[in-house]
Amino acid sequence: LQPGEAVMTSSKLTDFIIQARIDREQIRSKNKETLLKVINDETVSEKEKTSAVEAMVEITKSSELENTIETLLEAKGFSNVIVTLSDSQVDVIIDEQEITDQKRARLKEKQILAQIKL
């Protein structure tokens, strides 16, 4: 294993990935709702509204990028994938019992890595 690399072997990994996707979207929806309240609140300063709009844009960018990377990985033969981006890292969970050297190489292909700009 490489530093920072996690391996989860479980027959319930697919359920975990599905639930993680649902949780991710629910959290994003709540965050967007909160930001929209700030944006639409007439008592909030323009600076705060601008910050809220910028945060909304970042949420949208992250969501689109995660989706793009998940789609690329699925196109490379990986199934049940979830990607989570943060300010300093990318976490990828793949429903695979074993990641061979060949599959590991596919994960590191330029086409996928080019999407990740942290």
Side-chain angles (χ1 to χ4, degrees):
L1 290 179
Q2 300 292 334
E5 183 177 332
V7 175
M8 179 185 239
T9 56
S10 168
S11 61
K12 298 198 180 221
L13 187 55
T14 298
D15 292 341
F16 171 83
I17 290 172
I18 291 168
Q19 187 61 49
R21 283 184 173 173
I22 291 168
D23 293 346
R24 177 177 71 184
E25 292 310 311
Q26 287 176 341
I27 290 168
R28 283 198 176 127
S29 290
K30 287 179 185 178
N31 289 342
K32 286 181 177 182
E33 183 180 324
T34 300
L35 291 169
L36 279 173
K37 285 180 183 177
V38 171
I39 293 166
N40 294 323
D41 187 338
E42 294 188 19
T43 65
V44 174
S45 72
E46 286 304 312
K47 183 178 180 181
E48 290 172 309
K49 286 183 181 192
T50 299
S51 292
V53 168
E54 290 170 357
M56 183 84 77
V57 169
E58 287 304 312
I59 289 171
T60 301
K61 281 182 183 179
S62 291
S63 179
E64 289 173 355
L65 185 54
E66 288 168 348
N67 187 40
T68 298
I69 296 168
E70 289 169 357
T71 301
L72 287 170
L73 288 170
E74 288 174 1
K76 296 289 179 185
F78 297 98
S79 60
N80 295 323
V81 176
I82 185 165
V83 174
T84 305
L85 302 173
S86 68
D87 291 337
S88 61
Q89 72 182 39
V90 178
D91 293 315
V92 179
I93 300 173
I94 300 169
D95 189 359
E96 296 280 332
Q97 291 297 320
E98 180 181 343
I99 297 181
T100 63
D101 289 340
Q102 183 180 19
K103 286 182 179 179
R104 190 178 312 279
R106 279 192 251 151
L107 285 172
K108 295 179 181 180
E109 286 181 5
K110 290 181 186 177
Q111 180 184 17
I112 295 169
L113 295 177
Q115 297 296 320
I116 305 168
K117 297 172 185 157
L118 297 177

